[in-house]
Amino acid sequence: MRNVLLVVVLSGFLLSLSGIAKAEVDAKKLFKTHCIPCHGEDGKGTDLGKGLGTPDFTNAEWQSTKTDARFTEQILNGSEKMFVFKDKLNMEEVQALVAYARQFAKK
Ligand code: HEC
């Protein structure tokens, strides 16, 4: 009887752990997969990106003119030059990428 109880408690614990792992979004990896071709590993923009007119994410002054809502909107719906990502990313992932784009200017 005690063993059964232990198993129930343990599996509940493991389930909650896997839930945490799933909720954790790897923004760096997402950025690498979807954004680096244009925005570059350093956020300054690749040649391809600059050709299209990507902003320099490391520019704190530029960052301060943009709200998180604007960034979120851009990532979800794209623009004439940037892809739409709302089919590929969930809201949690988009928010993690907004924060990731922000941190380039914080160095
Ligand atoms: C095909 C090239 C391309 C890819 C891929 C791309 N972007 Fe962009 N992004 C651009 C360009 C070009 C701009 C400049 C604004 C515009 O004209 O859309 C931009 C602008 C932005 C902006 C600033 C929006 C603003 O209000 O000025 C953010 C934030 C952004 N991108 C995030 C991302 C994220 C996050 C990803 C990956 C999920 C991504 N981009 C992938 C080309 C790209």
Side-chain angles (χ1 to χ4, degrees):
M1 187 55 201
R2 271 186 80 166
N3 280 344
V4 172
L5 202 71
L6 193 69
V7 167
V8 169
V9 170
L10 253 181
S11 51
F13 176 64
L14 287 175
L15 263 177
S16 66
L17 267 188
S18 64
I20 291 165
K22 216 176 137 197
E24 211 173 276
V25 175
D26 189 345
K28 192 175 181 180
K29 197 170 155 199
L30 285 174
F31 194 81
K32 247 191 174 140
T33 310
H34 300 291
C35 320
I36 273 184
C38 293
H39 290 287
E41 191 150 18
D42 58 3
K44 292 185 175 189
T46 58
D47 287 344
L48 169 71
K50 283 179 191 151
L52 291 165
T54 47
D56 179 357
F57 285 164
T58 66
N59 182 341
E61 211 172 301
W62 171 83
Q63 290 261 6
S64 71
T65 67
K66 302 283 177 173
T67 61
D68 284 354
R70 171 80 271 282
F71 275 16
T72 306
E73 157 75 16
Q74 172 91 4
I75 299 166
L76 285 174
N77 297 319
S79 71
E80 255 169 64
K81 295 165 187 163
M82 189 173 129
F83 306 141
V84 172
F85 285 100
K86 67 176 168 218
D87 309 332
K88 298 194 187 84
L89 304 169
N90 64 36
M91 207 50 201
E92 216 177 335
E93 291 171 325
V94 170
Q95 270 156 9
L97 283 169
V98 170
Y100 195 78
R102 290 279 185 218
Q103 55 83 37
F104 287 112
K106 284 185 188 136
K107 276 175 212 155

